[in-house]
């Protein structure tokens, strides 16, 4: 039993986490197609696309330097290590490492975009940084509040949040899940923040940063973007279904379907309003903090 | 009053060149600068080392057209300073004949770019973003140069001319309906019908009532199809996929009916000089009626949902605003102008019964989208009425090519994008001396440039889509 829960289970989870991101995207696209009354591409299409890109040659701008070359690899490496932190290894302060691994990945991506010297990519980089800068504080407020409550300063403390008898705990869990879901939409560049399907350079946020990338680099970037969404999805599953294996997969699937539905029914919000929108995230984080303080001081609803 | 010295004429009327009054330049200038009526055209006709400059003034509300001319040398004082609406005409004249409007604030050819600079800013905080002429989507080539401060657009300069084909010259040498259909592929009916009417008038051909009605039906169907597609495309740009998909499908119903009428989804081959090539029989009539009802239901349902969706409204409202004053000042035409509250519609000059233009007033992207919705409704009702009127026999007269000599014929029609104007001028022998085309895009590109000022650069695509202008119609 211990062997199963302590070693095999996490490793299986890690393998799933690394292999499923494209399926996640595939499900979103399928849901969108169904909403549009279309047949839609196979849910495995992103895997075929990945394979196609991996076999393609690369075109590298003459004006770019080594940063442009190494950025996709560093970014992906950061994300894979981060994936280990939410599945296999838990230690004190792992969420801090997690957050800064993501930040490092983003830093190199932004640096690479600036490196190309294109006016588009600089624009994309500045947008990406402005709109995702609010994620980090919100994420820290949420996780550290919950950790402080449990006395365990690691992702492990997220478990059992939902399935407790305490009403406030359930409220905390709901606010946490809501905030994490918003993070998925923002980090994953989904509607209503960004439009992953558009070809219009001037409106893009994430896509415009990677206009110069092609071939294997682009494959890595696309895999990285999907993996990042999966990472936060995994954190949600840790909150809702900490032990059940099937449960986590079902939760992930439900999130993908939900994103698909939102993308089908919502228009994208105006770029100037995104900052206001991301403040919802901070609000959710502050609610979590307030509720945690309430619990820690022995309050009841 | 200078207006009294002009010649009043009708749309599609053959005017003898000698009838057109020749004014002193100062009078000619007053004609353009003192009137609040629209300057519908300003062009040069060269005659034995003499540059005749013609101005056409349109009073849309009273459906009245005026023409007068003057003689200019190699340069003349620019009229743009007093009447900004003529700035593009003057630039085009400068490009075609090298006649210099002295004092023009931004004298640059409209299609040629080589050797000319883009507008620059000395402000160190502003930066330039260059887009095109090759774009990510499958669209026509155009170069957009943005002067931005951060995300805010201070100025946009649009450089076109990348696909100049010399259509005017080709049509002069070989007045062929297939060429006219290709002036701008999405306005096939609009341009080909104006072309045919122009030549018919000059050669004195009579077109039967039935053919005239079929032409008008086709024109309204083209308007419906493109407007439906455009609302869908605006929705697509703001990632509102539902409307993008539903309206994309609905547009197909209209163009497939066009296919049944003429064998082409865009109505190519429908027009002929002297009438139309295909009749609408009773079976087709029922098909069109059923299609219209189906399309109307779908469009109404989808647009009701779209225009009441909060996320859509927050994105479209107050984006890309063009005030009524500005739209009038720069001489915008078509649905874009009507969406800004300007009354301009060439159907007022045509033989339409009780035609009243609709307007969405606000002048933002929302208004331009909603304007299209209103016009779809209006066109549907018009087609139903016209189908009722459809009687008599379809006649196909012999094509005559002996045009009235020394004459000029101006034909206006309201294409889906706005006022289309073709000017045909014949010489002493009755041969076509000059063929002049004006697509609505000629005016409206500058409207787009004004619309995006002080907007976010990320809102440019949706502004652009809300105008949906023609590149090749401008480049000619």
């Amino acid at each position: 039993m211990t062997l199963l829960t302590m070693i095999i289970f996490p490793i299986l989870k890690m393998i799933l986490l690394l292999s499923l991101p494209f399926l996640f995207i595939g499900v979103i696209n399928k849901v969108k197609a169904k909403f549009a009354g279309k047949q839609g591409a196979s849910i495995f299409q992103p895997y075929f696309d990945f394979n196609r890109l991996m076999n393609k040659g690369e075109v590298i701008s003459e004006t770019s330097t080594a940063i442009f070359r190494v950025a996709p690899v560093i970014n992906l490496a950061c994300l894979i290590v981060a994936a280990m932190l939410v599945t296999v290894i838990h230690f004190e302060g792992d969420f801090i490492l997690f957050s800064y691994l993501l930040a490092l990945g983003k830093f190199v991506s932004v640096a690479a975009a600036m490196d190309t010297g294109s006016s588009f990519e600089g624009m994309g980089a500045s947008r990406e940084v402005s709109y995702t800068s609010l994620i980090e504080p919100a994420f820290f407020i949420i996780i550290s509040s919950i950790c402080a409550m449990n006395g365990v300063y690691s992702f492990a403390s997220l478990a059992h949040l939902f399935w407790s008898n305490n009403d406030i705990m359930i409220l905390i869990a709901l606010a946490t899940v809501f905030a994490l879901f918003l993070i998925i939409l923002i980090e994953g560049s989904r509607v209503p923040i960004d439009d992953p399907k558009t070809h219009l350079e001037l409106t893009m946020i994430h896509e415009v940063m990677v206009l110069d990338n092609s071939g294997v680099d682009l494959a890595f970037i696309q895999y990285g973007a999907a993996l990042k969404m999966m990472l936060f999805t995994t954190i949600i599953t840790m909150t809702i279904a900490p032990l059940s294996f099937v449960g986590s997969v079902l939760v992930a699937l439900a999130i993908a379907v939900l994103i698909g539905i939102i993308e089908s029914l919502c228009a994208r919000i105006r770029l100037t309003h995104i900052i206001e929108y991301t403040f919802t995230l901070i609000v959710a984080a502050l609610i979590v903090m307030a509720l945690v303080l309430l619990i820690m001081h022995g309050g009841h609803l | 009053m200078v207006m009294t010295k002009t010649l009043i004429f009708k749309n599609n009327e053959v005017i003898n060149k000698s009838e057109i009054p020749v004014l002193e330049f100062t009078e000619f200038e007053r004609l353009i600068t003192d009137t609040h009526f629209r300057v519908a055209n300003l062009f040069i006709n060269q005659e034995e080392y003499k540059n005749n400059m013609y101005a056409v003034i349109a009073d849309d509300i009273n459906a009245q057209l005026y023409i007068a001319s003057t003689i200019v040398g190699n340069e003349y004082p620019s009229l743009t300073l007093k009447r900004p609406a003529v700035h593009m005409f003057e630039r085009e004249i400068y490009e075609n004949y090298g006649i210099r409007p002295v004092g023009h604030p931004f004298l640059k050819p409209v299609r040629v770019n080589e050797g000319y600079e883009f507008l620059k800013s000395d402000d160190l905080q502003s930066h330039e973003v260059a887009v095109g002429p090759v774009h990510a989507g499958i669209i026509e080539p155009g170069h957009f140069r943005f002067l931005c401060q951060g995300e805010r657009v201070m100025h946009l300069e649009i450089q076109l001319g990348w696909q100049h084909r010399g259509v005017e010259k080709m049509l002069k040498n070989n007045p062929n309906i297939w060429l006219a259909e290709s002036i701008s592929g999405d306005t096939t009916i609009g341009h080909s019908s104006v072309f045919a009417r122009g030549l018919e008038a000059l050669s004195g051909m009579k077109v039967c009532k039935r053919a005239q009605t079929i032409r008008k039906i086709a024109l309204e169907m083209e308007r419906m199809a493109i407007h439906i597609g455009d609302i869908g495309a605006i929705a697509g740009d703001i990632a509102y996929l539902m409307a993008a998909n539903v309206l994309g499908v609905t547009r197909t119903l209209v163009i497939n009916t066009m296919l049944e009428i003429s064998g082409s989804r865009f109505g190519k081959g429908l027009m002929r000089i002297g009438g139309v090539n295909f009749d609408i029989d009773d079976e087709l009539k029922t098909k069109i009626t059923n299609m219209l009802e189906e399309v109307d239901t779908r469009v109404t349902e989808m647009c009701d949902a779209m225009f009441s969706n909060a996320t859509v409204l927050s994105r479209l409202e107050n984006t890309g605003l063009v005030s009524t004053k500005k739209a009038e000042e720069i001489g915008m035409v078509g649905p874009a102008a009507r969406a800004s509250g300007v009354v301009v519609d060439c159907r007022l000059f045509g033989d339409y019964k009780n035609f009243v233009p609709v307007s969405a007033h606000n002048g933002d992207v929302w208004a331009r989208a909603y304007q299209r919705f209103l016009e779809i409704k209006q066109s549907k009702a018009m087609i139903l009425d016209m189908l009722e009127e459809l009687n008599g026999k379809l006649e196909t007269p012999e094509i005559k090519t002996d045009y009235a000599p020394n004459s000029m014929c101006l034909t206006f029609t309201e294409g889906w994008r706005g006022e289309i104007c073709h000017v045909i001028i014949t010489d002493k022998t009755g041969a076509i001396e000059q063929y002049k085309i004006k697509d609505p895009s000629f005016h409206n590109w500058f409207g787009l440039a004004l619309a995006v000022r002080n907007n976010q650069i990320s809102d440019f695509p949706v502004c652009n889509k809300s105008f949906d202008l023609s590149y090749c119609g401008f480049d000619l």
Side-chain angles (χ1 to χ4, degrees), chain A residues 41-54:
Chain A
S42 150
I43 52 171
F44 299 108
Q45 187 59 41
Y47 291 97
F48 305 142
D49 289 342
F50 180 73
N51 184 43
R52 173 174 55 86
L53 286 173
M54 288 301 277

Side-chain angles (χ1 to χ4, degrees), chain B residues 12-266:
Chain B
N12 202 23
E13 184 186 328
V14 179
I15 316 163
N16 196 314
K17 266 197 274 185
S18 55
E19 287 173 25
I20 301 170
V22 183
L23 307 180
E24 289 291 313
F25 186 80
T26 45
E27 281 180 321
F28 186 80
E29 187 178 16
R30 281 223 313 281
L31 171 70
I32 286 176
T33 56
D34 287 1
T35 173
H36 58 276
F37 298 141
R38 195 161 56 86
V39 183
N41 220 330
L42 184 74
F43 58 94
I44 293 275
N45 176 240
Q46 276 182 323
E47 193 182 37
E48 290 164 17
Y49 315 108
K50 210 169 70 183
N51 299 325
N52 292 324
M53 186 188 259
Y54 292 92
V56 181
I57 309 286
D59 171 4
D60 289 274
I61 294 167
N62 300 315
Q64 210 57 292
L65 290 160
Y66 307 89
I67 189 167
S69 77
T70 189
I71 298 164
V72 292
N74 285 330
E75 52 180 46
Y76 63 94
S78 170
L79 305 167
T80 302
L81 297 169
K82 289 178 187 159
R83 188 77 201 258
V86 300
H87 78 120
M88 283 303 265
F89 291 122
E90 292 197 323
R91 285 174 61 182
E92 194 190 32
I93 289 170
Y94 173 63
E95 177 181 79
N96 291 349
Y97 302 96
I99 301 170
R100 181 176 287 271
V102 178
H104 191 290
F106 194 66
L107 189 60
K108 189 177 168 177
V110 290
R111 300 179 186 100
V112 187
N113 185 31
E114 262 165 75
Y116 291 89
E117 295 243 318
F118 288 98
L119 190 73
K120 292 249 179 295
S121 165
D122 298 332
D123 184 5
L124 288 175
Q125 286 186 358
S126 59
H127 65 102
E128 283 185 20
V129 179
V131 185
V134 180
H135 298 278
I138 309 166
I139 57 168
E140 296 174 75
H143 180 83
F144 300 89
R145 188 67 70 99
F146 296 89
L147 261 181
C148 297
Q149 279 190 350
E151 294 271 343
R152 198 161 71 123
V153 180
M154 309 307 287
H155 178 72
L156 162 65
E157 195 180 334
I158 301 166
Q159 179 61 52
L160 298 169
W162 306 90
Q163 48 186 357
H164 174 63
R165 299 154 292 170
V167 179
E168 288 177 341
K169 203 160 203 174
M170 282 195 272
L171 275 172
K172 178 192 137 196
N173 297 331
N174 177 19
N176 193 321
I177 195 104
W178 301 303
L179 268 174
E181 284 173 345
S182 312
I183 291 169
S184 179
D186 53 12
T187 322
T188 300
I189 301 286
H191 276 293
S192 61
S193 63
V194 174
F195 167 83
R197 284 170 62 199
L199 288 189
E200 284 153 8
L202 276 173
S203 59
M205 287 170 76
K206 287 273 171 288
V207 180
C208 68
K209 193 91 182 74
R210 192 176 180 94
Q212 285 180 13
T213 314
I214 292 176
R215 279 181 181 176
K216 287 197 284 192
I217 291 172
L219 190 69
E220 294 309 315
M221 273 176 69
E222 181 174 74
R223 191 186 321 278
M224 278 182 85
I226 307 271
H227 278 358
I228 295 169
D230 272 351
I231 302 177
I234 291 171
D237 267 14
I238 57 169
Y240 185 59
L241 295 178
M242 181 115 81
N245 291 316
V246 171
L247 294 174
V249 172
T250 313
R251 166 181 171 267
T252 314
L253 296 178
V254 186
I255 55 178
N256 280 359
T257 311
M258 188 66 100
L259 177 81
E260 291 204 38
I261 299 174
S262 72
S264 155
R265 303 212 296 170
F266 297 98

